[in-house]
Amino acid sequence: MMGSCLGGGLPVVVMLCLNVVAAVMVSLVKVAMNGGMNPLVIVTLQQLTASVFLAPIAFFKERKSRPKLTLEIFAYIFVSAALGAALRQYMIFVALGYTTATFVTAFSNIAPVLTFLLAVATRSEALNLKSRTGMAKLAGTLVSLGGAMVLTLYKGVALTHAGAMSPHSQPAAEAAVSRGKWTLGTVAILGNCVCLSCWFLLHGRLANKYPHVYSCNALMSMLSFLQVAAVGLCTQRSITPWIITSKFQILTVLYAGIVGCGVSFVLVTWCIDKRGAVFVAAFIPVVQIIVSVIDFSILHEQLYLGSVLGSLLVIGGLYLLLWGKRQEALRCPPLPKVAEDPEKDEQQQPAHT
């Protein structure tokens, strides 16, 4: 009985811990970039650290069962590395540089909604508007997109630290520059969500073709490291940005690579196996709550009215969408296995009724 209780509650504890890990990583990266660290350098070193961490796990856990790596599977992993790791992570860090950590995590909540839209467009997800669950999924999608529009177009007044850092007290030129940076940050985080949604669908197909998750993600981390390093070396000709000597910057890279990518991946995979993807997705908004607490209490970032209103709409729509998907999953049980002996199956049928 104790084991069953632990098995039922442990995934919840793990997901809460993972959300704390993600929130801390976002805050650390934000501080590191405020200190002058280049986003490309952070992504490059992060993916290198993650690949070094995952490679031994993949080797010892899957060395006997790992199939041959075909050209098709390598192409899938290469594109997944570009979308899901390299480009996505870079866009997150760019958005952090131009906006706040709270805004980035709030906007990131629309990623499951965009994934649902892409799945419907590619016919890998059904949308029956005649059913209550179908209408719930559609309504949740529209509400979340409306919240994203509020986050994008309406910044609003500052609700915290308004006296010291009110945008109305800034000169007109400085306020215009601030609005321009906020717009660039919004575009960057939107690009991150699109990349993540495409990666979800692509990675789902890759999992069917190459179901060895540790080997797949170790190789994906290595490929994303090479991709970002190639871009970084072309754009950052000077070696100075690549040399990190600050203990805080080294800690940020190690934390983001080992804990933020490596350990988190292993634990998320375990949670999906135990409770399903919908359960994991339901914890996405928790990151925003933790980041907001860190933002206000430690980083002293401002909270804007538009961020609050948009966040409420996005999170409300997300949970409405997840509720619809959950209800459909409960109403559509897995297909029964084909009986090997039809006569024996008919004899056993009355015993179950």
Side-chain angles (χ1 to χ4, degrees), residues 5 24 50 59 69 116 122 144 165 217 236 271 295 306 326 335:
C5 293
V24 172
F59 176 77
L69 186 65
F116 170 72
T122 56
S144 289
M165 298 180 63
N217 280 267
Q236 300 290 330
C271 287
D295 245 4
R326 178 61 177 170
L335 294 175

Side-chain angles (χ1 to χ4, degrees), residues 74-85 199 202 220 223 227:
F74 180 81
Y76 268 93
I77 296 177
F78 185 87
V79 177
S80 293
L83 288 177
W199 180 78
L202 181 65
M220 189 170 63
L223 288 175
Q227 291 166 351

Side-chain angles (χ1 to χ4, degrees), residues 23-36:
V24 172
M25 185 184 75
V26 169
S27 300
L28 287 176
V29 170
K30 174 69 174 178
V31 175
M33 288 194 301
N34 288 343

